[in-house]
Amino acid sequence: MAELTGFHYRPGSSVLHRLDVRMKLALLAVFSAACLHASSAGLLLLGLPLLATALISRVAPSVPSRELRWLGLLLGLVFVARAVSTDGTAVLSMGTFVASREGVADGLKVCLRLILVFLMGSMFVASTRPGEVKAGVQWFLNPVPFVPAERTATMLGLIVRFIPLILEEVSRTTDAQRARAVENRRNPVYRMVTFGIPLLRRIFETSDRLVLAMEARGYAESRTGPEIKAGRRDWAALAAGGGWLALILVV
Amino acid sequence: MPAIIQIENLVHRFADGTVGLGGVSLEVAEGAFVIIAGANGSGKTTLLRHLNGLLRPTSGTVRVGGVSVTDNVLRARTLVGMMFQDADSQIVGETVYADVAFGPENLKLGRAEIDRRVQEALAATGLVHLAEKRPHLLSGGEKRRLAIAGVLAMQPRVLVFDEPFSNLDYPGVRQVLEQILKLHRSGQTILLTTHDLEKVLAHADRLVFMRGGRIEGDGPPHVLVAGAEAYGVKRPRVLGCGVKALSWLN
């Protein structure tokens, strides 16, 4: 069984892999927020170095084109919605729907924002062990009153651990149904029901087996976590990220 | 040798009322190699899952190392290392190293001790060179060895294998069988369930047959194996040459 999905941790020794998880979480949060406010030039200034970093660190999403089509579908819907709902100079008319030049530009910008957020999320997951995700989240939540930091961090760590399993089951269920010519059925409701119910059942069964395996090895919320220690390189990366962020917002 | 596993009148009833185990009593001496055989649904897996507290008895007792499993489940899970039938479902780490470290991390050991145990377990199972590899990319035999390494790192005294040879090709079967025998020679107690006796019978010193949630046969393999098919288990066809001749490692 070879690589099944692209959304998973990939072992490596790149700068991103070695960066302290707390710095990565902080940079992920601020850059994602920056995406919402940056101008078009700012988005390009963010996106091009980000893509270069992903390629050099070998953490660029290696998601099969079959899975990317769902992201493409979402982006397409967002683009069309923006294009036809924004007032401006008409460039394309389809019945009652009129796409404006301003809407097209706005739609492209929103899609670029979503792509960048997806890229940053993928880079983070690919370069960070789930155990480190838990340790980092717990570190940030510890000073927050009334929030069960360890339990919250454990839940987030488990989500990261379970996402690849869910995507694997989606892939298997899809293949099994396509092998039995489900594509000949055009009714979307039928296809959704016949896909969704067995998928949910398989996900719960797989999760049950994984939980059993974890319990058999004494899994507990409170366990030895990874050592997280920020060095000079990590602080330098945070400072560089801050400077880059300022530039993005100013441009 | 003293008994490391003591099961007395174990009954397990599932939530829907089905009786999974109908009063099982079994003692296993430390260092033994026991095969538990039976058809699907005979209760083998249900029995095994009581040894580390994954299932709780409806009535009866299960003791490992002299202590009731229900009184100290964590201790039972440290003493009893369990390998499930589906190796993929046991993989919890993102790398081979991380998967093996998972168990010791749950025991809240220090990082240096965890690293030492992981290195030992990887060396014992011949996986040191695969430490940074993603577990899902391993072969079937390597995944089974990874599962073994994962429980070895917790330093158990009993190793339980649930259908360890299922879905394995011939090289994979040999890999896993050699690993099991190596562990037995080093003093581990081995409990193994299978409905394919031929692969492992030559190496066991005790054979137990289960049917309908009960033990119906218990004794030396060369004595009991002749009646295997009465329990829904395929009788090895080359028995005329003796049980020892069956070894897949010959």
Side-chain angles (χ1 to χ4, degrees):
Chain A
M1 188 185 291
E3 297 280 350
L4 291 175
T5 73
F7 200 73
H8 56 75
Y9 170 71
R10 264 172 269 161
S13 56
S14 70
V15 169
L16 267 184
H17 284 88
R18 286 179 279 132
L19 196 57
D20 186 294
V21 63
R22 293 165 295 182
M23 308 304 175
K24 280 193 274 192
L25 278 169
L27 290 171
L28 178 65
V30 298
F31 279 124
S32 297
C35 264
L36 300 177
H37 300 287
S39 64
S40 304
L43 290 174
L44 281 175
L45 198 59
L46 172 62
L48 291 173
L50 205 60
L51 191 58
T53 306
L55 290 169
I56 291 167
S57 305
R58 298 193 188 180
V59 293
S62 63
V63 183
S65 57
R66 200 173 60 186
E67 289 176 22
L68 270 180
R69 76 177 176 189
W70 297 112
L71 176 65
L73 184 63
L74 172 68
L75 292 175
L77 288 172
V78 166
F79 175 76
V80 167
R82 282 285 185 169
V84 302
S85 62
T86 306
D87 294 330
T89 313
V91 292
L92 183 67
S93 175
M94 289 174 295
T96 54
F97 297 107
V98 179
S100 67
R101 182 179 300 139
E102 290 79 1
V104 167
D106 196 40
L108 284 172
K109 201 192 284 188
V110 170
C111 287
L112 183 56
R113 292 191 214 277
L114 288 174
I115 289 169
L116 287 175
V117 170
F118 172 78
L119 179 61
M120 284 188 282
S122 299
M123 287 168 65
F124 176 79
V125 168
S127 64
T128 315
R129 297 172 188 272
E132 288 175 347
V133 172
K134 188 218 165 193
V137 170
Q138 189 172 334
W139 187 87
F140 279 110
L141 290 179
N142 271 335
V144 179
F146 311 115
V147 172
E150 190 157 25
R151 180 164 291 184
T152 307
T154 299
M155 278 165 48
L156 283 168
L158 286 174
I159 287 171
V160 173
R161 202 185 289 279
F162 275 96
I163 284 175
L165 282 185
I166 293 170
L167 293 176
E168 279 173 28
E169 290 302 333
V170 167
S171 183
R172 283 195 196 123
T173 306
T174 305
D175 284 347
Q177 296 202 340
R178 287 174 76 195
R180 291 164 72 182
V182 74
E183 282 150 335
N184 283 349
R185 301 296 289 256
R186 301 291 176 196
N187 185 328
V189 174
Y190 172 86
R191 289 184 66 171
M192 209 172 345
V193 169
T194 51
F195 178 78
I197 292 175
L199 173 66
L200 280 174
R201 182 181 53 76
R202 289 174 69 114
I203 286 171
F204 285 130
E205 283 175 358
T206 303
S207 304
D208 269 346
R209 285 195 293 268
L210 181 60
V211 164
L212 263 184
M214 291 169 72
E215 281 190 333
R217 286 157 75 183
Y219 180 74
E221 278 179 26
S222 180
R223 53 199 303 272
T224 306
E227 278 177 353
I228 46 175
K229 213 189 306 185
R232 269 188 295 181
R233 184 179 52 207
D234 302 297
W235 291 110
L238 189 65
W244 186 17
L245 173 68
L247 193 59
I248 289 165
L249 292 176
V250 157
V251 164
Chain B
M1 291 286 269
I4 190 160
I5 292 173
Q6 294 160 299
I7 302 172
E8 286 177 53
N9 296 316
L10 177 60
V11 173
H12 185 85
R13 190 169 285 115
F14 291 104
D16 64 357
T18 311
V19 174
L21 297 172
V24 168
S25 294
L26 181 72
E27 278 197 9
V28 177
E30 189 151 21
F33 190 146
V34 181
I35 295 175
I36 301 175
N40 290 344
S42 58
K44 307 185 297 291
T45 300
T46 307
L47 176 63
L48 293 187
R49 290 188 179 180
H50 281 85
L51 297 177
N52 65 356
L54 290 179
L55 291 177
R56 306 297 176 104
T58 306
S59 66
T61 57
V62 179
R63 306 176 95 78
V64 177
V67 176
S68 166
V69 170
T70 45
D71 288 346
N72 193 336
V73 173
L74 182 59
R75 180 178 179 276
R77 288 173 184 173
T78 308
L79 286 182
V80 177
M82 181 166 291
M83 265 64 64
F84 295 86
Q85 185 172 346
D86 178 9
D88 277 300
S89 68
Q90 286 194 240
I91 295 168
V92 299
E94 55 278 359
T95 62
V96 166
Y97 183 100
D99 192 74
V100 178
F102 180 78
E105 285 169 353
N106 294 332
L107 300 178
K108 294 198 237 184
L109 301 173
R111 192 44 63 180
E113 173 65 10
I114 290 172
D115 187 61
R116 187 188 67 77
R117 288 194 184 199
V118 169
Q119 296 300 340
E120 271 182 17
L122 290 177
T125 50
L127 293 175
V128 174
H129 63 292
L130 298 174
E132 287 305 308
K133 195 159 182 184
R134 287 192 61 227
H136 290 289
L137 299 178
L138 300 179
S139 67
E142 287 169 343
K143 282 180 190 170
R144 295 291 160 93
R145 280 156 54 202
L146 173 58
I148 294 170
V151 300
L152 281 183
M154 296 180 76
Q155 298 184 343
R157 286 165 64 185
V158 179
L159 291 171
V160 174
F161 296 86
D162 193 1
E163 305 278 359
F165 309 115
S166 61
N167 298 324
L168 287 183
D169 55 14
Y170 175 58
V173 169
R174 286 187 60 107
Q175 268 185 53
V176 173
L177 183 55
E178 279 166 358
Q179 189 66 62
I180 292 172
L181 295 180
K182 188 174 155 193
L183 291 167
H184 184 234
R185 282 193 296 268
S186 70
Q188 295 277 4
T189 306
I190 306 287
L191 258 72
L192 186 153
T193 67
T194 184
H195 49 246
D196 186 358
L197 291 175
E198 192 177 290
K199 293 184 170 85
V200 71
L201 192 68
H203 308 285
D205 48 41
R206 185 175 169 192
L207 177 59
V208 172
F209 281 119
M210 290 191 71
R211 181 165 54 194
R214 293 177 188 275
I215 290 178
E216 295 200 349
D218 185 351
H222 66 279
V223 171
L224 285 190
V225 69
E229 291 185 0
Y231 303 102
V233 179
K234 181 174 175 291
R235 180 173 163 275
R237 292 296 173 212
V238 293
L239 268 185
C241 305
V243 165
K244 289 298 178 194
L246 289 175
S247 175
W248 276 40
L249 299 180
N250 286 342

